[in-house]
Amino acid sequence: MKSTGIVRKVDQLGRVVLPKELRKRFDMPGGTPLEMGVNGDEIILGKYKPACVFCGGTKDVVKYKDKNVCHKCLDNLKTSRLR
């Protein structure tokens, strides 16, 4: 992980403010959904990318009956229903 030299404290409600420089660099306007993960003792933040419930892919994902499905899996579903 590359250090930015920026340090922020967690407030009493568990919130952390992302510096404007980082929000601008990563094109993160207010309301941008974030995904959190862990790697050992590190907390990883990233932009949320909806993933397909079948294959886990994040390319060409659409909502289908309130589920995230990629076009490839959607096509597979359509052809398997025809058989």
Side-chain angles (χ1 to χ4, degrees):
M1 176 174 72
K2 184 178 177 182
S3 177
T4 61
I6 301 169
V7 177
R8 293 287 190 260
K9 291 184 179 182
V10 176
D11 73 9
Q12 291 177 330
L13 296 176
R15 298 175 295 198
V16 177
V17 175
L18 297 176
K20 182 178 181 177
E21 298 85 14
L22 289 178
R23 294 191 318 262
K24 187 175 180 180
R25 178 178 172 190
F26 291 101
D27 189 29
M28 298 172 63
T32 301
L34 293 178
E35 190 168 31
M36 292 172 239
V38 294
N39 182 14
D41 64 347
E42 294 180 331
I43 300 169
I44 312 289
L45 294 177
K47 285 184 183 180
Y48 170 70
K49 295 177 190 154
C52 177
V53 295
F54 296 109
C55 70
T58 57
K59 186 175 179 185
D60 297 326
V61 175
V62 295
K63 283 276 191 193
Y64 178 74
K65 295 189 178 183
D66 290 329
K67 303 291 183 200
N68 293 322
V69 183
C70 70
H71 284 287
K72 184 177 177 182
C73 289
L74 199 54
D75 289 342
N76 287 337
L77 286 171
K78 288 176 185 176
T79 57
S80 67
R81 290 176 69 192
L82 297 175
R83 292 180 193 167

